[in-house]
Every structure is written in structure tokens, then in C-alpha cells.
């Protein structure tokens, strides 16, 4: 059987001052450490700024995001920063498979609206805020997939649970509407066992991969909330977080043997045929920089050991 495919969740530390050189380094770094499907490493470090530059109704004031009015995409999707970065990566590394992450509506709306909503929306729980964000993200998603990328929609906040959680999850389908489902994934990190979020995600029509974490202290318990039937019966595959991203020292990094054991545990529960790829539990922007290469090296070695 061929080895499991590996990928990253997206963010890495910033490599260089110059953006394009930094993206080059991030891609080469992943390839050298045996990552099959690479990301741009999220070298534009501030996610809120690049959305604020491109979205009407979103601004940065005193270094914090503010919702100033109705949210709409105010540029052509091909001018959105992540689309430009994708085009750059494709031109430099035409042979590589690339996955691009965008922030989902709940996570983006909660991040931007929690400080101040000046007009148009009643408050942070106004569902139309999230519908408008989904609407604005949809042409960006299409532009990314049209340019050959796999799309990952990041929605870490969904693990927290909301009274309208099911409707929030369904907004992901709206973003991915009309796209080939096998190109689209959702990443929800943290503990996903509460609030039925796994079940809601498995009902989505336009998504094929659900990516969860299984390796951190809290994330370990996610194994109890996934099943073979849940994936197979709904035509979904699992992105398996198989190595923790929060070690504080080299000694705390999961070893290749621990990664292989984790993959055995996950495939025992979900079925190897239902695994899309293995990846670290989450992005690694906040991970101690010197530990990041060891994490990726151990993941690769663990995947190879798993066989
Ligand atoms: Zn994550």
C-alpha cells in the first residue's frame, strides 16, 4: 500500500523579510522535510489585515479589527492576496500540489466583530454578518480552486458550539458551492466532541475532507468522536492530525513511533481507506521555531514507519 499522503495545516513562522522570498523558503522547507502537499506557509502573517484590505465593511483601527458596515468583497477575487500568493507558488513550483487555507465565516466574523460593530449588524450574534462573510469568501474560494489549489476552510471556532451551530456549519457549503467537493476540506482544531459539530460537518455536500487534531492533550479525546461509518456513509475522508504542535522542548515532541501509533489508533477507528492525508494537529505559527523542523521530520518518519 502506498504511504499516506502528508500535508501541513498552513501557517509557519515568517522566513524572510521579502514576501516572495519568504514563500519560496516556506515551500522548500516543507518539501525538504517530506511534506507532499505544501502550503504557502501563510507568510502574510496578519490574516485580519489582508481581509480588511479586500473587504468592504472591515477595517483595522488601533491595531484591532472593527466591523464598520456591510461586509462585501470589494476587489476582483484574482486580486485577493491569497490568490496572488497561489499564482506565485504555482509559477515557482509548477510540479507541486498546493493547499491554500482561508478563514471560515464564523472564525473570521467572531475575530473581527468581537471588539466593535459600528453599523449594519445588530451585534456579534447577528447571523447575517456570517452569511455576508460566506458570500464574500465564495468567489475567492472559486478563484483558488480554478487555479488548481486544494482549498482548506479553517473554522477552529466551530468547536466552541453556538446555538445556531448547524446553520453556521452549513455556511461552509455556501462558500464551496459549485466547486468540486474533492478539492475542498474543512479544518476544525481543538476538541470537536461537544455540540455535535462532527455530525453537522459530515452532512455537508460540497466538502470531501474533514481535518481534525488527535495528538495534543485535549485533542487526544477526539478519537472517541469519529467513526468509520461517519466518514464512509457520508462520502467524507479524514485529515488526520497525527503530531502535536505545542511542545515546549525537543523532548516533548512526539517521536516517529508515537506518530505511527497515533496513525494506527486513528485508522483502527476510521479505516485507512478513509484517510485523505496526515498532517500536524494545527498550523505552526505559534510553535517554537526551532522545534518546527523536528515536528515535520518526525511526522514524515512516523508516516513511513506506519507504512
Ligand atoms: Zn488548527
Amino acid at each position: 500500500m502506498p504511504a499516506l499522503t502528508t500535508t501541513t495545516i498552513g501557517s509557519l513562522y515568517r522566513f524572510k523579510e521579502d514576501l516572495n522570498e519568504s514563500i519560496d523558503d516556506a515551500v522548500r522547507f516543507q518539501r525538504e522535510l517530506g511534506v507532499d502537499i505544501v502550503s504557502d506557509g501563510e507568510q502574510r502573517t496578519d490574516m485580519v489585515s489582508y481581509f480588511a484590505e479586500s473587504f468592504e465593511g472591515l477595517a483595522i483601527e488601533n491595531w484591532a479589527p472593527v466591523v464598520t458596515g456591510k461586509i462585501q468583497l470589494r476587489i476582483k477575487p484574482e486580486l485577493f492576496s491569497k490568490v496572488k500568493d497561489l499564482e506565485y507558488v504555482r509559477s515557482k513550483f509548477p510540479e507541486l500540489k498546493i493547499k491554500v487555507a482561508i478563514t471560515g465565516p464564523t472564525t473570521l466574523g467572531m475575530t473581527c466583530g468581537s471588539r466593535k460593530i459600528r453599523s449594519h449588524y445588530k451585534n456579534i450574534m447577528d447571523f447575517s454578518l456570517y452569511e455576508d462573510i460566506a458570500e464574500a469568501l465564495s468567489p475567492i474560494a472559486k478563484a483558488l480552486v480554478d487555479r488548481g489549489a486544494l482549498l482548506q476552510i479553517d473554522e477552529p471556532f466551530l468547536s466552541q458550539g453556538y446555538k445556531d451551530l448547524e446553520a453556521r456549519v452549513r455556511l461552509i457549503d455556501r462558500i464551496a458551492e459549485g466547486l468540486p467537493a474533492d478539492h475542498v476540506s474543512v479544518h476544525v482544531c481543538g476538541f470537536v466532541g461537544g455540540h455535535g459539530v462532527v455530525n453537522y460537518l459530515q452532512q455537508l455536500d460540497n466538502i470531501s475532507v474533514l481535518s481534525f487534531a488527535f495528538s495534543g492533550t485535549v485533542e487526544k479525546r477526539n478519537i472517541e468522536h469519529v467513526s468509520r461509518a461517519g466518514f464512509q456513509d457520508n462520502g467524507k475522508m479524514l485529515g488526520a492530525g497525527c503530531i502535536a504542535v505545542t511542545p515546549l522542548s525537543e523532548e516533548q515532541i512526539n517521536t516517529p513511533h508515537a506518530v505511527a501509533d497515533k496513525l494506527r489508533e486513528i485508522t483502527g477507528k476510521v479505516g485507512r481507506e478513509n484517510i485523505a492525508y496526515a498532517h500536524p494537529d494545527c498550523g505552526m505559527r505559534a510553535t517554537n521555531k526551532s522545534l518546527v523542523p523536528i515536528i515535520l521530520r518526525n511526522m514524515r518518519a512516523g508516516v513511513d514507519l506506519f507504512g
Side-chain angles (χ1 to χ4, degrees):
M1 209 180 281
L4 290 176
T5 300
T6 61
T7 189
T8 56
I9 287 307
S11 61
L12 293 167
Y13 55 82
R14 177 86 183 216
F15 284 76
K16 285 213 175 92
E17 186 90 30
D18 178 79
L19 177 67
N20 284 350
E21 284 178 21
S22 205
I23 294 174
D24 287 350
D25 282 10
V27 172
R28 287 200 190 99
F29 176 80
Q30 292 170 80
R31 288 301 291 158
E32 280 160 16
L33 291 164
V35 174
D36 298 316
I37 303 172
V38 299
S39 78
D40 59 18
E42 308 259 343
Q43 298 299 292
R44 291 178 198 258
T45 44
D46 184 2
M47 167 267 280
V48 172
S49 308
Y50 64 69
F51 279 113
E53 281 166 15
S54 313
F55 281 17
E56 198 80 60
L58 194 57
I60 308 280
E61 290 175 8
N62 301 318
W63 299 280
V66 179
V67 174
T68 57
K70 183 177 168 66
I71 300 225
Q72 293 176 82
L73 184 63
R74 64 174 168 78
I75 56 168
K76 289 185 179 144
E78 59 266 33
L79 298 177
F80 188 71
S81 58
K82 301 235 66 170
V83 180
K84 288 196 289 187
D85 292 349
L86 169 65
E87 285 183 338
Y88 176 74
V89 176
R90 290 205 68 82
S91 71
K92 284 296 285 265
F93 305 95
E95 73 287 4
L96 296 186
K97 255 194 173 181
I98 304 158
K99 179 156 62 64
V100 178
I102 59 172
T103 310
T106 293
T107 302
L108 187 58
M110 288 282 167
T111 304
C112 296
S114 61
R115 186 165 153 270
K116 194 185 282 176
I117 294 178
R118 187 159 300 140
S119 66
H120 196 77
Y121 305 103
K122 281 195 278 301
N123 56 50
I124 186 83
M125 295 314 289
D126 187 336
F127 194 70
S128 66
L129 168 64
Y130 304 94
E131 290 180 299
D132 288 348
I133 294 174
E135 213 59 58
L137 289 172
S138 170
I140 293 169
K142 183 171 174 2
L144 291 167
V145 173
D146 281 352
R147 284 162 179 76
L150 298 176
L151 175 70
Q152 170 184 297
I153 300 170
D154 286 337
E155 273 288 36
F157 281 32
L158 288 181
S159 61
Q160 295 174 15
Y162 300 92
K163 72 168 180 358
D164 48 7
L165 182 62
E166 188 174 2
R168 286 176 181 277
V169 171
R170 251 187 273 115
L171 290 177
I172 296 168
D173 252 349
R174 198 182 294 183
I175 298 170
E177 206 173 301
L179 301 180
D182 63 351
H183 279 58
V184 191
S185 64
V186 183
H187 169 68
V188 182
C189 44
F191 178 62
V192 294
H195 321 288
V197 69
V198 175
N199 182 50
Y200 295 142
L201 287 165
Q202 281 170 333
Q203 308 307 317
L204 290 172
D205 292 319
N206 304 325
I207 308 293
S208 70
V209 179
L210 306 178
S211 150
F212 301 133
F214 294 95
S215 304
T217 317
V218 178
E219 291 81 359
K220 277 179 183 149
R221 290 155 54 218
N222 283 337
I223 194 74
E224 294 156 31
H225 301 276
V226 291
S227 69
R228 184 185 295 258
F231 283 87
Q232 210 152 279
D233 299 353
N234 295 298
K236 299 287 181 289
M237 294 183 83
L238 175 68
C242 62
I243 190 162
V245 295
T246 51
L248 300 173
S249 65
E250 199 172 334
E251 294 68 45
Q252 290 181 7
I253 299 175
N254 300 135
T255 63
H257 278 283
V259 171
D261 283 345
K262 183 60 69 181
L263 289 168
R264 277 181 212 108
E265 186 189 14
I266 297 168
T267 52
K269 198 75 195 291
V270 170
R272 181 181 174 130
E273 68 284 8
N274 296 317
I275 306 294
Y277 35 65
H279 55 65
D281 264 9
C282 193
M284 292 192 277
R285 167 82 25 82
T287 306
N288 180 325
K289 190 173 165 174
S290 66
L291 305 181
V292 173
I294 309 173
I295 292 173
L296 288 179
R297 194 174 299 127
N298 283 9
M299 177 173 80
R300 180 76 252 175
V303 166
D304 291 340
L305 205 56
F306 170 73

